[in-house]
Structure formats: C-alpha cells, structure tokens
Amino acid sequence: MDEMEEELKCPVCGSFYREPIILPCSHNICLACARNILVQTPEAESPQSSRASGSGVSDYDYLDLDKMSLYSEADSGYGSYGGFVSAPTTPCQKSPNGVRVFPPTVPQSAPQQHLLPHPASLPPIPRNSCITCPQCHRSLILDDRGLRGFPKNRVLEGVVDRYQQSKAAALKCQLCERSPKEATVMCEQCDVFYCDPCRMRCHPPRGPLAKHRLVPPAQGRISRRASPRKISTCTEHELENLSMYCVQCKMPVCYQCLEEGKHGTHEVKALGAMWKLHKGQLSHALNGLSDRATEAKEFLVQLRNMVQHIQENGVEFEACLVAQCDALIDALNRRKAQLLAQVNKEHEHKLKVVRDQISHCTVKLRQTTGLMEYCLEVIKENDPSGFLQISDALIRRVHMTESQWGKGTLTPRMTSDFDLTLDSGPLLQTIHQLDFMQMKVPAAPILQLEECCTQNNSATLSWKQPPLSTITVEGYILELDDGNGGPFREVYVGTETICTVDGLHFNSTYKSRVKAFNSSGVGQYSKTLIMQTSETGLPPCDIQAIGAVAWFTFDPASAHPDIVFSNDNLTVSCNSYDDRVVLGNTAFSRGVHYWEMTVDRYDNHPDPAFGISRGDVLKDVMLGKDDKAWAMYVDNNRSWFMHNNSHTNRTDGGISKGATIGVLLDFTRRILIFLINDEQQGPVAFEGLEGAYYPAISLNRNVQITLHTGLPIPDFYTPGEADPTSSVC
C-alpha cells in the first residue's frame, strides 16, 4: 500500500487528491488546483468554436491526443493540439513535487484552498481561460462550463478515501459517555460505531436488531463516505443518471445525451457491460504487469546477491592483491639478502688480499732492513782480508733482495673499488608497469545451434562467447570423438568461431565440444553437441523414407592442372592427350555408395578409367597405374580392371557417347563393382578394401564426363549378404 501513495497525490499541490477531475490527456488534478493554474487568454485567440470538454466528439477523442504538440521548454510557450487554440506564453513556477505549474489569474483565498463548500461560492472563472496539464504540458481552452466540463474521477477519490482510512487512527465509540473506547464494529443500518460493551448494551443481537449488518469500523467509515456517490449523474445533464457508454468518445453518457444527438450516431453499449469488459481488460493487463514486477523483484534479488558477491569478491581480491604484493616484497628482500651476501663476500675477499699483501711486504721489508743494517756494519770493518771473505756473498744477497722488490711487488693486488653494479632500472620499470591483467581463463563458449549442421560426411560448427563475458580470448579448441563413442580429439585450434570438419564417416554419430583459451589457461568446455552424418547405401525403400544420400562433385583443388571443369564441377574434360586424374571432393570409409558417370563426348576410341583412389594418387598417369588406385579402364570394345599397373579380368563390352558407367562401393563387404549401362561389368572388381577412398577418374582430351550423385544403389544388389558374389547378376 505504501508504494501506491505517489499515485494518489496531486502533481500540483503534492497532497492527496481532493475532488479530482480527469483532463482530456487522462491525467488527474484536484479541482481547487485546477482553478489555481488557470490562465486567461486574449479574446482574439479564443474562437467560440474551440471547446474544452463535453461539447463535441473531439472533446474526448483520446485517439487524437497524439496530434497534440508537447510543451516546449525551448520557446517557453504552450503547444496547441486537436482543435484547441494555443495559450499565451506565461512564466512558470515549480510545485512542491517538482512539476511545472502556472500562476493563477484569479485571486486565491489564503487559507484552506481545498475546502470548497459549494461551487456557487467560488469566484467565477473568467472567459477564455486556459489550463495546462502539469504533467504532460498539453494545454486547452475551457468552454462556458469551465472546470465543470471535466468529469470527476470518482474511482480515484474512493481509492484515496480507502487509503487514508487504512492510515487513519482508530475510530472511537459514539455511545461511550466518558473516555470513548475504540470502536470494534459499525452498524450499517444505525450508522453508529460501537465498542463491545456499548454494542451489547445498546445493540443486542436479538429482536429486530438481529437483522442489522455489523461491519469493521474502517469498512463502515468507507461505506458511509462512499454511499452518497453510488449514483453517478451526467456532467451535462445533472438530473440524468449515466446508463450507457460511448465507444467512440470513450466516456459514459446518459439517455438525454443520446436523444439530443451528440452521441446519437456513435456506437454505444451498456454501462455495466463495458464496466465488466474494461475491468477484465485491466485485470489482464495487470497480469502481464505482475509478471514483469515478479521478474523485476527476482532481478533485484539477483542484483542484491551480486552486491554481496562483489563485496565478498572485493575482500577476497584485495587479500589476494596484498598477498601478491607481500610475496613480491618477500622475494625482493630475499634477493636483497643474496646481493648483500655477495657484496660482503667481495668485501672480505678484498680485505684478505690486501691484508695478505701487507703481511708479506712487512716481513720482506723487515728482512731487507736487517740486511741493510748488517751490510752497513760490515762496511765499517777495517780488516781487508776479513771483508773480502764475505763481500762477494753480501753483494749477491743485496742484489737478490733488490730483485725481489722488482716490478709489481709494490703494486696493490686489489683495488679499493667494488666492481659490482646493481642494474635496478628494468625492475623499477617493471614495478611502474605493474598493473592488473587478465587473471581468469575464458568462460565456456556457447554453441550456436542454428548455424551448426551436417552435410554428407562434413560437419559445420559455430560458437560464440557468452554475451556478458569480458575476458580476453586468444583462441578456441574444437574437439570431436571418433563417431563411435571413442575419446575426443582436437580437430581445430585457432581464432575463428566457425569450423567445417570434412572427411567424417557416413552414417555416424559424432559428439563435439569447444573450449576457449588465453594466456591464463584453458577454459571450460561448452555443452556437448551430437551430430549425425548422412546415411547412404540403404535399400531404395529406406532411402525414400529418410531421404539421406551422399552428394558430391569433382574437386578442382586436387585435380591435375590440365583438367577443365564446368557445370558446377559436375562435368570434366581435359586439355592434354595424356591421361589426367581428377578426384571427388568427398571421401568414403563406411556404408554402401553408388554413383554414375555419363560419357558426353567420346572421340578416337580412348580408354578412360573409372574407380576409387587414395588422396595421394598420381595425377599424371592413367588411374590404376600405381598402388593408390583401383579402377576399370574401358574402350569401345572391352574393359580391364587395374591396380598397381596389374591388368585383370578382361571383359567384352565397351562404351560410346551417351554410355553410363556406374561405381558401387560397399564397405560392409569391402568390395568394388562396376556397371556399364545398368549391367554389371565383369565379376567383383576388388575385395578387401579398407580405409578412406575418393571417387576418381582419368581421361584425356578425347573424352568428356558428367558426374551423377545422390543415387540409390541398383535394384539387383542387396547389401550385407555373407557371400560378396551371391548378389551379383
């Protein structure tokens, strides 16, 4: 109920509606507020033909409201609409609830603007008055009836009364002599509020009073206030009750309105029937609005949960960031300790070298000084013979000692500088560039089922990232199983979001899935999609039932350059006198397959070859010359089977222009059979076939061949028999 309060307040005064009236734009306003915002227009701008309400069909033709021009803040004026004359430019002011209101032209009484004892006691409304809706700013000129021409919104007034009663204080008993107690019931017949003691004393439930209806006080007060308004009267004919509803004008009318002709030509319906109809329409509209409100409540719950999750994730992420930074600081401190240890080691090494050199020089200097003092004392001796006995030895010792102080002896073995330079620039730059990057793996892609399909033994898959995902994707990985429930294997890795996989088995069920990856890792798999490749090699009745056969064409990409293609790659010829090979664009590895070729041109009795081959067959020799092809070559009189340049099974019967060559490949028996003009040519040509094979032919410039695919197997052949030759005619 509290949420409805804004709907029950006047846009001008901001208080609950009092005697609300309905403007042609369907907005409501208090009657007193409507008088306050009237603006008088000059006589010249108000032709008598312009009416505000009740005088014509267009008065309440709400379908024409979209013809009204809106109030323009750019020119600060009023727009005209329908057939109404625009009002003059007038300054505007703000109402208590923020909408635009306009200054009154009629003096107002200062106190109690809403208390209107009787319309006759109010000042008369000036002629040519204009009123502007405070909500949509549409303006119109009032007619001679003034504000009485607008219908009163009795429903809104009743809703306001009920709302105020629900908020009002408890009603008191009317029969208590002192300190009235709170009323518990109201008698609708007596129109008196009773407390329980007074009801038992003054209104006992017996006798004539037993038939009186007792209701709760709030309901009784509403009934009391609403009872005078049970009968609705016409605004044009105050003595007539409203009994009909004009569909065109969308307003209730009385019998006299119909008699006078104002609504005589309009479609009218019973007021009660339209009341029920509009109630039903409003209830139906409310159902849809209720669904939207329910969705909005669920969405708000989702948003509130998101707020909680964001807060939780924020705390978790902040803790993770602090932990990461602390880990960096710890790593830097450990590295600092390692570098300091290295510096200390260098420091100790330098000190040791210098101290060792000092010790060595000190000992040597002491020895040198002692030798010098000894030699000086010897020189002081006066005994020549004694001096000469030791002079040679002393001279040698002096020279030897001097040589020990040779070059480098008096040079420091270590410098005082540290030859260590810490290069912290890259690390500082890295720290300055330290920022948030993609820290999550991508979300699971969504398969676009409307774009996924299979054709023959090829499958096309399409996918996309979830709409709200903002995680960077560097590529995708598409996986398929082996068509027989085996493990998945990667068939595509790249940045595209659509991929066609060729060379699958016919009549097989494949499971596919895709996942995305980036520098942080690989995301989750998408949902698994199950696809069925085409079924071929079925009996004619089965093929008609399911309509599944293999369609293919010749493949320009793998053909010899001398091959000439036409007819959408279904017809081939050759520019060379030598034999050249062309393959089909579909490989077969399962099922039973049948296709035919017609000879469109056959000159000089060439011998084209028809059959199957591997993908790496030689393209510049006759089909069957190497071990990659199994073929039948035929001229105008006879045919041979050939594989790995081995010729077998010569059979009479050749071809000419218009002839048809059929090829039947049965993987259930692993055999190959040839037909000419719907008749089997020779025995089973080849057996023990395994793997994937392409349809293939070889021809020269004297032959032109057209391919026919999507054909059922011949009637004479029954697949799946134990003996491969038993079904051959």
Side-chain angles (χ1 to χ4, degrees), residues 155 245 422 557:
V155 174
Y245 182 82
L422 181 62

Side-chain angles (χ1 to χ4, degrees), residues 170-383:
L171 297 173
K172 301 297 182 179
C173 177
Q174 294 177 285
L175 298 182
C176 291
E177 296 180 357
R178 298 179 181 179
S179 302
K181 299 179 181 179
E182 182 178 345
T184 57
V185 295
M186 174 199 172
C187 177
E188 289 187 336
Q189 285 72 25
C190 301
D191 197 17
V192 177
F193 291 94
Y194 298 95
C195 64
D196 286 338
C198 293
R199 177 177 61 84
M200 296 301 297
R201 184 178 70 254
C202 303
H203 200 288
R206 60 182 179 270
L209 298 179
K211 298 182 179 180
H212 288 196
R213 184 168 180 262
L214 302 179
V215 296
Q219 179 181 348
R221 183 169 183 177
I222 294 174
S223 301
R224 175 191 286 180
R225 296 180 60 89
S227 58
R229 288 191 288 271
K230 289 183 179 178
I231 301 177
S232 301
T233 58
C234 179
T235 57
E236 298 244 357
H237 313 96
E238 297 181 355
L239 299 180
E240 297 290 338
N241 294 336
L242 296 173
S243 58
M244 304 296 290
Y245 182 82
C246 179
V247 177
Q248 183 172 347
C249 299
K250 300 183 183 299
M251 61 178 296
V253 295
C254 67
Y255 177 78
Q256 191 171 350
C257 290
L258 300 178
E259 288 293 325
E260 292 180 356
K262 295 180 180 180
H263 302 274
T265 59
H266 296 174
E267 179 185 2
V268 295
K269 293 186 178 181
L271 189 65
M274 292 303 297
W275 174 55
K276 294 181 179 179
L277 176 63
H278 282 210
K279 270 195 172 183
Q281 292 176 350
L282 180 59
S283 298
H284 181 71
L286 282 177
N287 290 334
L289 185 60
S290 176
D291 293 340
R292 301 290 84 78
T294 302
E295 293 177 1
K297 290 180 180 178
E298 294 175 354
F299 180 65
L300 286 175
V301 172
Q302 179 182 355
L303 291 180
R304 292 189 181 99
N305 292 336
M306 285 184 62
V307 170
Q308 182 178 357
H309 292 161
I310 290 174
Q311 292 175 343
E312 295 174 355
N313 293 340
V315 173
E316 181 181 354
F317 188 79
E318 183 177 339
C320 179
L321 177 63
V322 171
Q324 287 179 312
C325 292
D326 290 343
L328 292 176
I329 295 174
D330 291 342
L332 186 61
N333 287 331
R334 288 194 299 269
R335 188 56 181 165
K336 173 184 174 183
Q338 294 173 357
L339 294 176
L340 286 176
Q342 187 175 349
V343 171
N344 291 333
K345 183 178 179 180
E346 183 70 13
H347 173 261
E348 295 297 331
H349 174 67
K350 286 181 175 291
L351 290 178
K352 183 177 182 303
V353 171
V354 173
R355 287 170 178 169
D356 289 345
Q357 191 173 13
I358 290 174
S359 175
H360 178 73
C361 290
T362 300
V363 172
K364 198 169 186 179
L365 180 60
R366 184 181 302 112
Q367 293 174 352
T368 301
T369 302
L371 179 61
M372 290 173 58
E373 292 178 353
Y374 174 68
C375 290
L376 290 176
E377 292 298 325
V378 170
I379 292 174
K380 294 178 182 179
E381 290 294 330
N382 296 324
D383 183 5

Side-chain angles (χ1 to χ4, degrees), residues 18-178:
R18 295 293 301 271
E19 300 187 63
I21 59 175
I22 307 174
L23 300 179
C25 56
S26 300
H27 292 131
N28 300 284
I29 188 174
C30 296
L31 180 60
C33 295
R35 298 185 63 88
N36 291 342
I37 65 174
L38 290 176
V39 177
Q40 188 174 4
T41 62
E43 184 73 22
E45 297 183 5
S46 178
Q48 295 298 323
S49 59
S50 299
R51 300 293 182 185
S53 60
S55 60
V57 173
S58 63
D59 296 344
Y60 288 93
D61 191 359
Y62 296 154
L63 297 179
D64 290 338
L65 288 178
D66 55 350
K67 301 178 182 178
M68 304 178 183
S69 60
L70 297 176
Y71 175 83
S72 171
E73 293 190 3
D75 56 9
S76 300
Y78 305 102
S80 63
Y81 60 98
F84 305 131
V85 178
S86 60
T89 303
T90 308
C92 63
Q93 59 189 9
K94 288 287 184 177
S95 71
N97 62 344
V99 300
R100 309 172 73 86
V101 298
F102 299 86
T105 57
V106 180
Q108 307 176 26
S109 57
Q112 299 180 347
Q113 297 179 3
H114 286 293
L115 301 179
L116 302 176
H118 193 275
S121 63
L122 296 173
I125 297 177
R127 295 185 59 190
N128 308 325
S129 295
C130 170
I131 187 171
T132 299
C133 176
Q135 290 182 284
C136 64
H137 309 299
R138 294 171 179 170
S139 58
L140 67 157
I141 305 298
L142 274 65
D143 59 10
D144 295 337
R145 295 173 299 166
L147 297 177
R148 291 185 295 105
F150 297 111
K152 294 182 179 180
N153 195 336
R154 294 179 297 275
V155 174
L156 177 58
E157 190 173 7
V159 173
V160 171
D161 286 343
R162 290 195 297 271
Y163 181 80
Q164 289 180 318
Q165 289 302 321
S166 66
K167 297 293 184 179
L171 297 173
K172 301 297 182 179
C173 177
Q174 294 177 285
L175 298 182
C176 291
E177 296 180 357
R178 298 179 181 179

Side-chain angles (χ1 to χ4, degrees), residues 3 15 98 187 202 218 270 309-310 343 358 424 431 493 505 511 581 596 603 630 638 660 707 726:
E3 298 173 351
S15 302
C187 177
C202 303
H309 292 161
I310 290 174
V343 171
I358 290 174
S424 60
I431 293 175
V493 178
H505 296 302
K511 295 180 180 179
V581 174
E596 292 180 347
D603 303 328
W630 294 257
R638 61 191 68 84
T660 300
L707 175 66
S726 61

